[in-house]
Amino acid sequence: MIYPLPAVMVSCGSTPEEYNIITVSWTGTICTNPAMCYISVRPTRHSYDIIKKNGEFVINLTTRSLAYAADWCGVKSGSDFNKFEKMNLTAIPASRIKAPLIKESPVNIECIVKEIKELGTHHMFISEVVAVNAEKELFDEKSGLFRLNDAEPLCYLHGKYYLTGKYIGKFGFSVQKKKGKRKA
Ligand SMILES: Cc1cc2nc3c(=O)[nH]c(=O)nc-3n(C[C@H](O)[C@H](O)[C@H](O)COP(=O)(O)O)c2cc1C
């Protein structure tokens, strides 16, 4: 019931023959320093053994233009299809690990598995972030701020995909002093 969540495309594999993509919603940040995140994957998934064997994977954020591929990679198995080929996605080399990045994704997070927690239906891959690749065009030239919202990131909410909604405030807005006239 903890929604909305991202629906990310996790790429894995150490050789082109092994490369695969699994869509994952059980994912998140779990530590700032060292930068750590997790994905939870059912052992029955084709990707499970690949990630476990190689101890690494890439979290690729998804957008409106990747919605179809994200859904498709989440219902079809790499044991039957080459998902990169079928979805016309480009595998490009990562900087620190062997698993490929998905070029079409605006943010690729390279992860190395530190611990596997066998929780039940899903096993949690607790992982360290070793590199993050972000699309240049999404950086505001003047402020240098990263404008991920411009890429129209996907949200997943009770089995349905949405784009992020209306902007309603920034971090800390609840305690920010209102701009106005100074007291004399
Ligand atoms: C939006 C969405 C979210 C999903 N989240 C997860 C998840 O968190 N963990 C998981 O094991 N499978 C998840 N799945 C299912 C897998 O992506 C799906 O079983 C996929 O076909 C597995 O691919 P593979 O066999 O090539 O590894 C999700 C599917 C969708 C569509």
Side-chain angles (χ1 to χ4, degrees):
M1 291 304 282
I2 305 172
Y3 284 105
L5 290 164
V8 300
M9 293 164 88
V10 172
S11 46
C12 56
S14 57
T15 59
E17 301 75 50
E18 192 183 49
Y19 287 173
N20 192 36
I21 303 169
I22 172 173
T23 301
V24 164
S25 265
W26 297 163
T27 183
T29 304
I30 45 175
C31 184
T32 303
N33 191 8
M36 304 278 295
C37 63
Y38 84 95
I39 56 168
S40 284
V41 178
R42 279 187 191 260
T44 48
R45 310 296 189 219
H46 181 69
S47 307
Y48 180 89
D49 289 333
I50 299 175
I51 296 170
K52 192 170 177 178
K53 174 173 76 86
N54 295 319
E56 45 166 65
F57 59 88
V58 180
I59 293 178
N60 303 273
L61 300 193
T62 55
T63 59
R64 181 199 282 261
S65 57
L66 284 171
Y68 183 92
D71 186 62
W72 199 88
C73 291
V75 292
K76 299 286 181 186
S77 179
S79 53
D80 304 319
F81 298 98
N82 178 328
K83 297 192 192 179
F84 276 96
E85 267 177 34
K86 281 279 175 191
M87 289 294 102
N88 275 322
L89 295 169
T90 321
I92 55 168
S95 60
R96 299 278 307 276
I97 62 175
K98 284 184 180 158
L101 313 180
I102 299 176
K103 183 171 179 261
E104 289 76 11
S105 163
V107 180
N108 323 98
I109 301 162
E110 299 178 29
C111 303
I112 292 183
V113 179
K114 293 286 161 187
E115 202 182 322
I116 305 174
K117 286 236 173 255
E118 299 190 3
L119 299 173
T121 55
H122 290 68
H123 293 184
M124 185 185 199
F125 291 90
I126 297 177
S127 310
E128 186 170 349
V129 174
V130 292
V132 177
N133 312 273
E135 202 169 287
K136 255 189 191 164
E137 285 83 76
L138 292 175
F139 284 93
D140 188 280
E141 272 186 26
K142 280 186 191 161
S143 64
L145 287 178
F146 187 54
R147 306 169 68 112
L148 182 58
N149 208 41
D150 289 357
E152 301 186 290
L154 271 196
C155 293
Y156 185 62
L157 201 160
H158 292 280
K160 292 177 181 166
Y161 304 99
Y162 296 87
L163 297 175
T164 49
K166 212 170 152 189
Y167 173 77
I168 57 155
K170 65 175 182 180
F171 178 88
F173 81 98
S174 62
V175 292
Q176 205 165 30
K177 281 187 186 152
K178 296 218 165 55
K179 276 185 190 166
K181 283 180 191 168
R182 279 200 191 153
K183 282 181 187 168

